[in-house]
Amino acid sequence: MLANKKIILAVTGSIAAYKAAFIIRYLKKQGALVKVIMTKASSDFVTPITLATLSKEPVITDFVKEGNSGEWNNHVEMGLWADAIIVAPATANTIGKMVVGHADSFLLAVYLSARCPVFVAPAMDLDMYAHPSTQDNLNLLSERNNFIIAPEKGELASGLIGEGRLAEPEHIVAYLEQYFRAQLTLNGKSILITAGPTHEAIDPVRFIGNRSSGKMGVALAEECAKRGANVTLILGPSSLNVSSTYIEVIRVESAADMFAACQANFDQDAVIMAAAVADYTPETVSDKKIKKKENNWSIPLTKTQDILQWMGQNKTKQKLVGFALETNNELENAKGKLKRKNLDLIVLNSLQDKGAGFQTDTNKITIIDKDNKWSNFELKSKQEVAKDILNKLEELL
Ligand code: CTP
């Protein structure tokens, strides 16, 4: 969530300043770019070299660079650079100055110059925190669209126990993550995605399968998660690994397993059926390995449940996206499937297009909507194709 986000951590003079080191570590771990501003008082509690080493950027304290060279630190440039400013720990003094609009430190000048969201994490003794002056100041900052990350209860530097200790660094970073997540286009949406092939068992060692790798469905799941959706991914037998806190992966083998998992997880805002589900399955599965005897061997097959068709018949609020892999008469076949299965969108792959379909890292698609309007897309990586599909789906959500 915080990868490549430009964050300013502004540290003021509280004993909790040492916790800035942990905040930087958590931000860096998530791939954020962090610049640290310190007030002069904060360097009594933690050294600039510690925070510079962790952030991998020089720490800025003053307007003028050291050595009397005439060089200065540009507070306007820095304020406009940031995607977010965190003031942590924020002392009663700095909070008061932010309210009044003082600019007697580099930190305050950056605060006044910035256009990005500002997060303020107070840290002070319990009576200072409870004082009406501090409370009024925090309310004013909040009314002016600053975000206050409330302090936590516990033992304070004074030895007193109460509210006033800086929120835990993990909680501060989680607050920021939540803020950025809430800005995402699919925030609050739940999406079910199926991916990969299915394996239809013949006996304990043999199965009927297909060449799907699962790459397209996994790319869709990852892009949905990046856009803030809660994703359930039902993945057929595939060698791909998926690791994201926002993707719940349910692994299945057969078309029947996939149908059961889809039914159990059907209560979603949208479903994307990217899996290549077997259309037929052996009528019976032998529990022992079948020995070779005759020259010819026929396996009686029976039709599987068409999962998407079932969804089309049972949908309430769900937007349904299907896939159609065709070799001839592509557009007409795909339009037929869209109507027959009561879909909102269908994504057509033609095996006539080089680089499209199974096993490849690329795909070339046409998206058709309910009004039979279609858009053609260039050959792209499956990650880029996932973006095109989700841009269309977002129009419907
Ligand atoms: N699908 C499904 N359940 C099945 C078979 C397919 O949900 N048992 C879904 C696929 O995930 C895909 C869409 O249906 O999103 C199209 O699959 P396809 O097999 O191409 O369509 P069919 O209607 O079965 O047509 P045909 O096999 O004749 O091309």
Side-chain angles (χ1 to χ4, degrees), residues 15-246:
I15 176 65
Y18 79 92
K19 290 191 181 170
F22 297 94
I23 300 174
I24 298 168
R25 283 202 57 205
Y26 296 137
L27 291 171
K28 294 295 285 182
K29 219 168 147 185
Q30 292 211 32
L33 308 169
V34 185
K35 291 189 181 183
V36 179
I37 301 174
M38 293 177 76
T39 59
K40 288 199 177 84
S42 71
S43 58
D44 290 336
F45 298 97
V46 62
T47 68
I49 189 103
T50 305
L51 304 191
T53 308
L54 292 170
S55 65
K56 300 191 168 56
E57 290 279 345
V59 166
I60 304 178
T61 304
D62 222 333
F63 291 96
V64 185
K65 290 191 182 171
E66 272 178 23
N68 211 11
S69 64
E71 281 183 283
W72 62 293
N73 294 311
N74 189 329
H75 54 284
V76 178
E77 218 169 68
M78 187 147 179
L80 296 179
W81 170 84
D83 295 319
I85 297 178
I86 314 173
V87 188
T91 57
N93 184 43
T94 294
I95 290 168
K97 286 183 171 185
M98 286 166 77
V99 169
V100 176
H102 281 188
D104 61 358
S105 71
F106 186 72
L107 186 162
L108 290 164
V110 170
Y111 169 66
L112 291 177
S113 309
R115 294 180 188 165
C116 63
V118 177
F119 301 81
V120 180
M124 61 199 77
D125 215 67
L126 77 168
D127 294 311
M128 290 176 80
Y129 179 65
H131 198 282
S133 301
T134 309
Q135 289 302 313
D136 285 353
N137 282 342
L138 288 171
N139 286 337
L140 275 168
L141 285 183
S142 182
E143 277 167 27
R144 294 175 194 166
N145 298 325
N146 297 277
F147 297 90
I148 310 299
I149 306 176
E152 295 173 11
K153 280 192 186 137
E155 192 177 341
L156 301 162
S158 61
L160 298 173
I161 292 171
E163 210 171 354
R165 81 194 242 165
L166 180 68
E168 285 303 320
E170 294 102 311
H171 299 168
I172 293 174
V173 175
Y175 193 103
L176 203 68
E177 263 187 274
Q178 235 167 46
Y179 168 83
F180 282 114
R181 200 171 162 72
Q183 311 303 308
L184 298 174
T185 47
L186 288 177
N187 177 51
K189 301 286 179 205
S190 59
I191 301 191
L192 175 66
I193 297 172
T194 64
T198 61
H199 286 179
E200 307 304 317
I202 298 168
D203 66 16
V205 293
R206 303 183 184 93
F207 61 83
I208 299 171
N210 62 63
R211 293 187 199 280
S212 167
S213 61
K215 283 179 186 168
M216 191 64 247
V218 168
L220 279 160
E222 284 170 345
E223 185 59 26
C224 279
K226 273 192 203 153
R227 294 182 185 206
N230 286 316
V231 185
T232 308
L233 174 66
I234 300 176
L235 185 57
S238 158
S239 57
L240 298 178
N241 281 319
V242 186
S243 62
S244 159
T245 349
Y246 302 107

